[in-house]
Amino acid sequence: MNFYFSMPILFSFYLSWVLFCSLASPNSVNLPLKAASLGWNSSAVNINKAEKLWRINETFYNFRLSNKQFIGLENQGNKLVAVSATEKFPEAFQITRKNGEPHRVRFRASNGFFFQAKSEMQVTADYKGPSTWEENDPSVFNMTIVSTMHGEYQITNGYGPDKAAKLMRDHWKSYITEEDFKFMSQNGLNAVRIPVGWWIAYDPKPPKPFVGGSLQALDNAFRWAQKYGMKVIVDLHALRVSQNGSPHSGSRDGFQEWSDSDIQETVAIIDFLASRYADHPSLVAIELMNEPKAPDLKLDSLKTYYKAGYDTVRKYSSSAYVILSNRLGGEWSELLSFASNLSRVVIDVHFYNLFWDNFNKMSVQQNIDYIYRQRSSDLRNVTTSDGPLSFVGEWSCEWEAEGASKRDYQRFAEAQLDVYGRATFGWAYWAYKCHLNHWSLSSLNEPNDTDKITPIETRFPAYPTVMHVNQIRGILPSRMMPGSGSFFRPSIPSTFLASGVLRGMLMLQPEVGGSHDNFFFDGIEKVKQSEVLEAVIAGDTLVTRMTLVKLQKRFGIAKMEGKAYVGDDLVCEGEFLVATGTD
């Protein structure tokens, strides 16, 4: 499946850091932005639903319970007890596996003895001697992996310091390269969103198990962004004790533990990032935290941190935007009044048709309707005319609709582009690169053999589709705006235009002369409309096919015939007069 966007698109990728997009200098940023993002990998193991394993090396582990306490030996005896959750050096236990049956294990405690089950409710560490690995051996346990985590912590901890260092260096050198920035810039992309982990502030010698190199990767991204005229948003994606318990938050075992006591440390990371990049011409924004999760992370605590983080960024820059991520599970508008007292701030919301059982039951059309009805309403709740800007910081073409065709995925993408394009700061697609196709924007944007016979107007869906004239003025130079709305009759509100007409003219006929920046839109004549136009509504994708009728190179004037379609239906047509020139 392939998507081509005629408007600039903003990307982000996560590989211990992530990418995003924008234009010009921080004082002159063209909004809205368009973007994309990535994900991560690891391995953490649960023995059962009540116990989590903290890997120390290939054979030794700490055991942590669901109440966040660690298992230890009482007074160095043989009784297993839960110790304090704040234990600095928890008891380590050795796991021995049966050859050929790795799920059959024995646990050796620090007293030299093995665990043994004395009853269904009692396990002690006092079994001596070797094991027969028979079913009646009380020191043998069946270990079932209930879930795993996939994050940078688990990768570096799992491979160990020597192997992990090489693995990560090779990854940073090859996964996102200068060629990716060149590709993005050549395809009209204008910025990158780069999520980073807290350990980047300690590079090149971060706390174990993390390895050095992520700061150099971020520096490279800034250098490439500047070279190709792109902007960078730095997003603090992973916190030391996790703001949501997800692998991408840097969590070791899935617990969410960030609280007031971690504010000072987290602000210090923002201070490091702001002081290092505030004067870089490619910096456009710093995001203070990604996806804090309600209700465990309290709103008052988040506001206290956001104010401190905002003040820290302002110490170094008055022009960089400060992005405030809404809480997962919180109220959409819960940050609006707080953010309204700050300057150059953005509210970040993430929209996926995933992670909720109701999506599993939705058809293709129900998913698309959900975007236009519910997501449109959700976005309005964080979009104001005079307050903070709104930003759909993550979305994807992945969904739970069964049997979806390529065209269904395209319609789903077009619906999201239409609705999320109304965000005043822009949007970011998750992800730029990913092994799962529909999560990977770079793979969606690659042509295949079928594109050679697909009409160009269907391979390049017009984006934005139907939108307010003021939104168009914010995207296109004023000299491209038509002087009248005669191309659209009263069936479409007079303040709405299908900008795909203008964009189609500029993008599909570059051979008329010069770049699209050198076109002067002069007028439309001989307008005709069909009855189908009456049914065109906001949300439809209007595709315009332009045909060069006459070109007078001497005078720099071109006449073009334009026909606008919704699907296969011709809705209107007319003759366009275009002047060419130089700036």
Side-chain angles (χ1 to χ4, degrees):
M1 141 184 152
N2 306 286
F3 295 128
Y4 291 79
F5 307 116
S6 59
M7 294 295 289
I9 299 175
L10 176 63
F11 285 94
S12 55
F13 58 80
Y14 183 60
L15 34 96
S16 144
W17 49 293
V18 189
L19 290 185
F20 197 59
C21 305
S22 155
L23 295 174
S25 69
N27 290 313
S28 176
V29 180
N30 288 349
L31 299 177
L33 303 178
K34 317 294 183 290
S37 311
L38 295 189
W40 245 121
N41 284 7
S42 80
S43 60
V45 186
N46 296 345
I47 293 183
N48 58 48
K49 292 183 179 179
E51 297 178 5
K52 298 174 183 286
L53 298 185
W54 278 27
R55 184 184 187 278
I56 299 174
N57 55 40
E58 291 185 4
T59 59
F60 283 89
Y61 295 80
N62 305 132
F63 291 179
R64 200 180 192 194
L65 302 174
S66 58
N67 63 2
K68 302 183 181 179
Q69 291 185 310
F70 292 94
I71 292 178
L73 294 179
E74 184 178 45
N75 299 323
Q76 297 302 308
N78 60 25
K79 184 179 180 180
L80 295 172
V81 295
V83 296
S84 171
T86 59
E87 184 76 16
K88 190 171 183 180
F89 301 104
E91 185 92 22
F93 300 93
Q94 184 180 22
I95 296 180
T96 304
R97 302 172 186 269
K98 182 182 179 181
N99 290 335
E101 296 184 59
H103 65 283
R104 292 178 62 77
V105 299
R106 303 177 78 205
F107 304 103
R108 186 196 298 269
S110 59
N111 62 6
F113 299 132
F114 290 92
F115 288 12
Q116 68 168 321
K118 292 189 173 179
S119 70
E120 291 185 2
M121 300 299 295
Q122 184 182 16
V123 176
T124 57
D126 56 0
Y127 189 89
K128 302 178 182 180
S131 171
T132 62
W133 295 103
E134 300 295 333
E135 291 294 336
N136 60 356
D137 188 335
S139 70
V140 176
F141 296 81
N142 287 325
M143 183 172 68
T144 301
I145 299 176
V146 176
S147 64
T148 61
M149 295 187 69
H150 303 274
E152 186 164 332
Y153 185 99
Q154 288 76 25
I155 284 182
T156 52
N157 192 43
Y159 278 93
D162 296 331
K163 292 181 180 179
K166 182 179 186 306
L167 177 77
M168 294 305 297
R169 283 196 302 268
D170 291 345
H171 175 67
W172 286 318
K173 289 179 182 178
S174 61
Y175 192 63
I176 300 294
T177 68
E178 182 177 343
E179 286 301 309
D180 289 291
F181 281 79
K182 182 180 180 180
F183 168 82
M184 288 186 281
S185 67
Q186 288 177 342
N187 284 273
L189 309 181
N190 58 7
V192 287
R193 176 182 181 245
I194 308 182
V196 300
W198 62 272
W199 54 92
I200 196 171
Y202 302 92
D203 207 272
K205 295 182 178 181
K208 294 180 179 180
F210 300 107
V211 298
S214 61
L215 185 60
Q216 182 60 58
L218 183 57
D219 287 343
N220 289 342
F222 268 93
R223 185 175 71 255
W224 297 332
Q226 183 178 9
K227 180 176 180 179
Y228 294 101
M230 303 177 73
K231 293 294 182 181
V232 175
I233 290 177
V234 180
D235 158 34
L236 184 54
H237 212 78
L239 278 58
R240 187 178 62 82
V241 288
S242 180
Q243 70 279 19
N244 55 40
S246 298
H248 56 72
S249 70
S251 176
R252 182 170 186 172
D253 58 11
F255 282 127
Q256 174 186 354
E257 301 181 271
W258 192 92
S259 65
D260 285 0
S261 61
D262 302 296
I263 290 177
Q264 184 176 354
E265 178 187 55
T266 311
V267 169
I269 308 301
I270 297 299
D271 189 282
F272 170 81
L273 295 170
S275 63
R276 186 177 185 89
Y277 297 110
D279 295 330
H280 197 287
S282 290
L283 179 72
V284 67
I286 293 178
E287 185 158 7
L288 301 182
M289 180 188 295
N290 177 71
E291 294 185 344
K293 188 176 181 180
D296 290 347
L297 201 156
K298 306 302 181 184
L299 183 58
D300 287 344
S301 298
L302 187 63
K303 289 180 179 179
T304 299
Y305 165 64
Y306 277 170
K307 182 59 169 65
Y310 171 85
D311 290 341
T312 298
V313 175
R314 288 290 169 259
K315 284 196 311 182
Y316 302 100
S317 173
S318 61
S319 58
Y321 284 94
V322 178
I323 301 178
L324 316 177
S325 178
N326 251 15
R327 290 189 304 166
L328 297 178
E331 297 293 330
W332 294 115
S333 59
E334 64 185 17
L335 291 174
L336 278 182
S337 60
F338 165 77
S340 295
N341 297 317
L342 310 175
S343 64
R344 296 180 76 81
V345 294
V346 179
I347 303 257
D348 178 12
V349 295
H350 297 173
F351 292 154
Y352 292 106
N353 278 28
L354 297 163
F355 316 124
W356 182 38
D357 290 342
N358 284 13
F359 287 129
N360 300 338
K361 307 170 187 176
M362 288 187 183
S363 66
V364 168
Q365 191 57 50
Q366 286 172 328
N367 272 276
I368 293 173
D369 291 343
Y370 188 89
I371 298 298
Y372 281 117
R373 294 169 183 168
Q374 187 60 49
R375 290 308 189 201
S376 180
S377 174
D378 295 338
L379 184 57
R380 283 196 300 270
N381 285 330
V382 294
T383 304
T384 63
S385 59
D386 56 357
L389 300 179
S390 58
F391 174 47
V392 182
E394 292 183 20
W395 65 279
S396 172
C397 281
E398 192 53 274
W399 54 355
E400 301 291 351
E402 294 185 3
S405 66
K406 173 181 176 180
R407 179 55 188 150
D408 291 333
Y409 275 94
Q410 290 175 328
R411 290 172 57 216
F412 185 50
E414 289 163 4
Q416 293 183 90
L417 285 170
D418 185 19
V419 172
Y420 305 160
R422 302 166 194 168
T424 49
F425 192 72
W427 51 255
Y429 189 98
W430 189 279
Y432 173 62
K433 281 186 179 180
C434 181
H435 67 287
L436 301 172
N437 283 342
H438 299 141
W439 286 93
S440 180
L441 186 55
S442 58
S443 66
L444 296 181
N445 206 45
E446 292 174 355
N448 58 33
D449 291 339
T450 61
D451 290 326
K452 297 175 182 178
I453 59 175
T454 304
I456 191 170
E457 66 267 27
T458 58
R459 279 194 282 128
F460 291 76
Y463 171 76
T465 53
V466 179
M467 61 189 298
H468 195 279
V469 66
N470 289 333
Q471 290 179 280
I472 300 175
R473 288 196 177 101
I475 296 173
L476 300 178
S478 60
R479 67 190 184 194
M480 296 181 188
M481 292 304 301
S484 71
S486 62
F487 197 50
F488 302 96
R489 299 297 176 86
S491 57
I492 297 180
S494 60
T495 57
F496 279 78
L497 293 175
S499 62
V501 173
L502 302 180
R503 197 65 184 181
M505 178 181 67
L506 301 176
M507 296 301 292
L508 304 184
Q509 294 290 342
E511 69 275 14
V512 172
S515 70
H516 64 73
D517 291 327
N518 298 325
F519 279 92
F520 292 80
F521 181 67
D522 201 41
I524 306 175
E525 298 177 345
K526 300 181 180 179
V527 175
K528 299 177 183 178
Q529 70 178 59
S530 72
E531 294 180 357
V532 177
L533 184 59
E534 304 295 329
V536 177
I537 61 172
D540 287 339
T541 298
L542 187 68
V543 178
T544 302
R545 186 178 184 90
M546 307 300 298
T547 303
L548 180 62
V549 177
K550 188 175 183 180
L551 174 63
Q552 295 184 353
K553 292 185 178 181
R554 180 178 178 183
F555 300 104
I557 298 175
K559 179 180 290 187
M560 305 174 73
E561 180 184 74
K563 292 186 177 181
Y565 298 84
V566 172
D568 296 327
D569 296 321
L570 176 67
V571 295
C572 49
E573 59 184 303
E575 289 186 356
F576 291 74
L577 186 63
V578 179
T580 62
T582 58
D583 291 332

